[in-house]
């Protein structure tokens, strides 16, 4: 600790704040150690210690969305809409009355509760709090009796959260139209087998009669409730922060059984405020479990209010996912407030989940909400004179994977960028692959196209990606776009194609075949007979968070059609893998029709571009809508401007930045791509990023960068600082520097096109279904490469050669192959497993590549 001797703090001080922490950036985390779960050998899965809770979300059957929703729209009811009362009743039997009994209710914004006809609770939540759900709890022991008992609840729906899932059950939760209840025979905060849980035996109605709360009321004509699902019964119920308010529901974990957890202490304690109180053993908060003494708060003689409540900030040293856990070693209940921040600015000014109160039962563990953050602030509001804690620590919640892919080079910044991108994606791998673990904690296909590409190359994980893609498209028949966005329908095909090329999982492809073909046909409805995109379904057009590219604008339509072209080709490739040549040919022809239309209507020969926007031109190059003969003009007139100081509308997110990098490579501009990568993604790292941000521009203010980040058409602390769609450089470095590019299912055919650009050396590996494919490159009197091929991988190495060279040395012997890229490279076939060393004879160290040549 710095600046303060914590054990000597006098009680008489009204407030003491030790400063100097936020301004001093901690030392960089050593390379390879950014992900704290990377070296865990034995995972502790939630399924190994937790059984899902039995209580269920219920709602009145008359207006339940579970029964019938049809096409799901991205439209959450307004906060003040649908606020009529809903009435619920349940009978239960007790052999005897326990000494303590606590009622818990969550979901509604307000409830009025009667137990055996007596008013037991009347409470409403603060609608300004960002959390949708709030746990109401009440001591109801004195109203219980042996024998038959009745609980009657009047409820108004919660205010809901924005979200979109192909699940009526989950959409009802998102709309705030759920309630869960239970009575536990214990004091507040202690879990035990329940006396009563909400479920299908409850009754509910929108139309209660007089005396509906009394035990003698005849409810025989009330319908049974719609029992939606057990609150931990589906992965879809853990999405979109909809369950964040259940953090203090007894026994609730809210994590899928395949997730794991571990515990980490804070890296540093900051912003210590003692008020009228005293802290002892603060060093316990930064010590590994089981070392040191217990952290203790000695509250002042005057019960503290919020103004003088002692508090502190925990800095975990990097972006993390999970929640803060507090374990009491006191004999009485304590109350704390807890708030999170991905940045210090967010923590201090506008924590995304707000400031929430947590009550900690004696000798029990309690948790804050699940989220992503770096900083956590805790204020100790009330409790016994001496509050002792066995631990206050991070419960890191993560999806167990192994880092199988790797990249390392002579450039330390690129190495850090690669690792940061991989860690960002791992943070997003939670209850499916999310856009981000803070906001939105949901499945978005555009994000998954980038994150999935990284997952394929680094983690080789199948389960989570397959589940994400399947839930995004939903069950057959397909009657809407992915996430309601036509462009995101396109990216479903490109990521599925990338997954198949990495895995060869034909069984999964066969499983989704009906939806695949249905989605292609649904997408094709958006055109008129002249191939003009007319947005027949009135969908949300989204390309990027930049003016003119979000919403139904001419530019968004142009870019969406180009995304469609790429999707139709990917869809045709997938159909051919399924031996469906007829449909494959149809969508290849549709792709050709779209290309012809775009070339005729969007390409400007006079201006030499597909319009002025970076995103549209980059996708034209990447997709193949642009012909190689147009590359020079596109570069000169549009894409060479990428990286220059930006002013609206020339904004670009790291998401579409990935496709710009891909386009650079396709035009033979890898050195320029590396330069921009260092400036753009390296700029985030220079500003303290330990994971890549949802939005960024190097020209934005630097004094408090988080508040100036712009996404969703606005700026502020809500912007995510760990967003999977920003991780593109991780797969790009493996594809374009190491050169590893599977071009057929399961790496059965692979292109290796090594290109060190301005690097001196690079090495890495990528997992295939048969083992690791390894590449090591050096500039030593020319390019030298060492390649290790696993069984079942046939590789074509596009190796650079000097002008006029007629062979490449492979394991000391001359080997010839056809020329490629206008004679700049030779295609060398490696069709057997083993170790290969390649070098060219007489090659120059650097030679510009003809940018008109397809690469």
């Amino acid at each position: 600790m710095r600046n303060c001797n914590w054990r000597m703090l006098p009680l008489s001080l009204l407030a003491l704040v030790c400063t100097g922490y936020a301004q001093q950036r901690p030392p960089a985390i050593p390379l390879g150690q950014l992900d704290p779960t990377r070296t865990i050998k034995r995972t502790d899965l939630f399924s190994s210690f937790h059984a899902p809770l039995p209580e269920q979300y219920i709602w009145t059957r008359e207006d339940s969305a579970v029964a019938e929703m049809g096409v799901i729209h991205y439209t959450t009811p307004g906060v003040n809409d649908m606020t009529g009362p809903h009435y619920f009743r349940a009978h239960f039997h007790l052999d005897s009355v326990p000494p303590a009994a606590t009622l818990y209710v969550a979901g509604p914004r307000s409830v009025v509760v009667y137990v055996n006809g007596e008013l037991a609770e009347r409470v409403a939540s603060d609608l300004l709090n960002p959390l949708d759900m709030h746990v109401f709890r009440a001591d109801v022991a004195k109203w219980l009796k042996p024998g038959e008992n009745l609980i009657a609840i009047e409820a108004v729906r919660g205010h809901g959260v924005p979200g979109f899932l192909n699940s009526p059950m989950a959409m009802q939760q998102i709309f705030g139209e759920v309630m869960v209840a239970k009575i536990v025979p214990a004091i507040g905060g202690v879990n035990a087998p329940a006396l009563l849980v909400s479920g299908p035996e409850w009754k509910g109605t929108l139309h209660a009669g007089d005396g509906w709360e009394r035990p003698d009321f005849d409810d025989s004509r009330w319908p049974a409730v719609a029992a939606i699902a057990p609150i931990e019964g589906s992965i879809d119920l853990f999405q979109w922060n909809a369950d964040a308010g259940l953090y203090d529901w007894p026994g609730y974990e809210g994590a899928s059984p395949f997730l794991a957890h571990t515990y980490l202490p804070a890296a540093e304690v900051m912003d210590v405020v003692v008020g009228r109180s005293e802290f002892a053993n603060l060093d316990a908060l930064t010590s590994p479990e089981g070392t040191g003494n217990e952290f203790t708060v000695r509250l002042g003689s005057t019960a503290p209010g919020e103004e003088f409540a002692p508090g502190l900030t925990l800095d975990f040293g990097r972006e993390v996912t999970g929640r803060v856990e507090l374990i009491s070693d006191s004999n009485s209940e304590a109350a704390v407030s807890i708030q999170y921040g991905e940045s210090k600015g967010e923590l201090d000014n506008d924590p995304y989940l707000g400031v929430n109160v947590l009550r900690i039962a004696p000798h029990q563990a309690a948790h804050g909400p699940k989220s992503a953050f770096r900083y956590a602030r805790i204020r100790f509001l009330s409790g016994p004179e001496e509050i002792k804690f066995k631990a206050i620590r991070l419960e890191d919640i993560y999806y167990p994977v192994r880092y199988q892919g790797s990249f390392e080079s002579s450039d330390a910044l690129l190495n850090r960028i690669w690792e940061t991108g991989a860690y960002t994606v791992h943070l997003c791998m939670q209850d499916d692959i999310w856009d981000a673990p803070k906001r939105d904690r949901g499945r978005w296909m555009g994000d998954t196209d980038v994150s999935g590409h990284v997952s394929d190359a680094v983690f080789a994980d199948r389960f989570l990606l397959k589940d994400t893609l399947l839930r995004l498209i939903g069950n057959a028949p397909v009657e809407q776009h992915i996430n309601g966005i036509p462009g995101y329908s396109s990216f479903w095909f490109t990521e599925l194609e990338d997954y198949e090329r990495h895995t060869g999982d034909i069984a999964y492809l066969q499983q989704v075949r009906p939806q695949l073909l249905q989605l292609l046909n649904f997408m094709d409805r958006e055109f008129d007979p002249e191939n003009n995109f007319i947005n027949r379904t009135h969908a949300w057009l989204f390309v990027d968070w930049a003016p003119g590219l979000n919403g139904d604008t001419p530019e968004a339509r142009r870019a969406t059609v180009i995304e469609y072209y790429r999707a139709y080709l990917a869809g045709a490739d997938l159909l051919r893998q399924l031996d469906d040549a007829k449909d494959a040919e149809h969508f290849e022809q549709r792709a050709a029709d779209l290309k012809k239309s775009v070339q005729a209507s969007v390409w400007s020969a006079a201006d030499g571009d597909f319009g002025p926007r970076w995103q549209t031109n980059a996708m034209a190059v990447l997709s193949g809508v642009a012909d190689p003969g147009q590359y020079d003009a596109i570069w000169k007139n549009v894409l060479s401007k990428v990286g220059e100081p930006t002013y609206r509308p020339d904004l670009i997110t790291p998401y579409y930045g990935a496709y710009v990098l891909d386009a650079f490579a396709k035009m033979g501009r890898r050195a320029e791509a590396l330069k921009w990568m260092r400036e753009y993604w390296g700029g985030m790292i220079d500003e303290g990023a330990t994971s890549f941000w949802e939005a960024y521009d190097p020209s934005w203010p630097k004094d408090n960068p988080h508040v100036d980040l712009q996404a969703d058409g606005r700026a502020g602390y809500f912007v995510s600082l760990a967003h999977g769609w920003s991780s593109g450089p991780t797969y790009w470095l493996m594809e374009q520097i190491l050169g590893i590019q599977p071009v057929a299912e399961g790496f059965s055919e692979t292109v290796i096109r090594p290109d060190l650009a301005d690097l001196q050396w690079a090495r890495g590996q990528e997992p295939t279904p048969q083992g690791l494919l390894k590449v090591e490159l050096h500039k030593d009197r020319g390019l030298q490469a060492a390649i290790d091929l696993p069984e079942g991988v046939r590789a074509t190495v596009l190796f650079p050669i000097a002008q006029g060279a007629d062979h490449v040395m492979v394991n000391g012997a001359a080997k010839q192959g056809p020329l490629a890229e206008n004679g700049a490279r030779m295609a060398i076939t490696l069709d057997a497993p083993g170790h290969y060393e390649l070098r060219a004879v007489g090659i120059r160290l650097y030679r510009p590549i003809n940018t008109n040549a397809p690469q």
Side-chain angles (χ1 to χ4, degrees), residues 544-706:
D544 199 11
W545 290 124
L549 291 171
N550 172 34
D552 195 348
T553 69
E555 190 67 33
R557 288 192 177 197
R558 287 190 285 267
T560 297
V561 173
I562 296 171
E563 292 172 344
Y564 263 48
Y565 171 80
R566 186 166 172 247
Y568 283 179
L569 291 181
D573 176 43
L574 295 168
L575 288 168
R576 289 197 181 278
Q577 292 182 47
L578 291 166
D579 297 322
D580 184 353
K582 179 180 177 181
D583 286 313
E585 289 172 2
H586 170 73
F587 282 100
E588 287 167 347
Q589 182 58 53
R590 290 294 298 124
D593 294 341
L594 293 186
K595 177 173 179 176
K596 181 179 179 180
S597 175
V598 172
Q599 283 281 355
S601 62
V602 183
W603 172 255
S604 170
D607 296 331
D609 57 36
F610 288 88
R613 304 303 293 276
W614 299 347
Q615 291 91 334
T616 308
N617 284 271
M619 187 54 67
V621 171
L622 175 60
S623 66
V625 163
D627 292 323
Q630 296 169 324
Y631 289 177
D632 282 344
I634 292 172
W635 176 257
K636 176 184 177 182
N637 297 313
V638 181
L639 292 183
S640 64
K641 309 298 191 295
V642 172
E644 294 181 358
T646 58
Y647 303 96
R648 287 181 177 270
D650 291 327
L651 294 176
I652 190 167
T653 65
Y655 159 55
Y656 236 83
Y659 306 125
V660 170
L661 290 175
D662 290 339
F664 277 23
K666 192 166 184 178
M667 293 189 293
R669 300 282 181 175
R670 290 171 183 82
E672 291 88 343
L674 289 182
K675 179 178 181 294
W676 185 53
M677 187 185 297
R678 293 177 180 113
E679 294 170 353
Y680 191 87
W681 284 267
M684 285 187 256
I685 289 175
D686 287 344
E687 294 184 37
T690 59
S691 52
F692 284 134
W693 305 342
E694 178 182 12
Y696 180 68
D697 192 282
S699 68
W700 289 344
K702 308 301 179 189
D703 55 337
N704 182 7
H706 194 177

Side-chain angles (χ1 to χ4, degrees), residues 404-406 453 456-458 502 731 734-735 738 740-742 747 764-768 771-775 790:
Q404 299 184 60
S406 66
H453 207 145
D456 291 335
V458 178
H502 278 81
Y731 76 74
M734 301 171 76
E735 283 189 359
L738 301 180
I740 303 171
Q741 302 172 31
F747 277 88
Q765 59 190 30
E766 188 160 336
T768 79
L772 293 174
L773 192 165
K774 301 179 180 180
V775 174

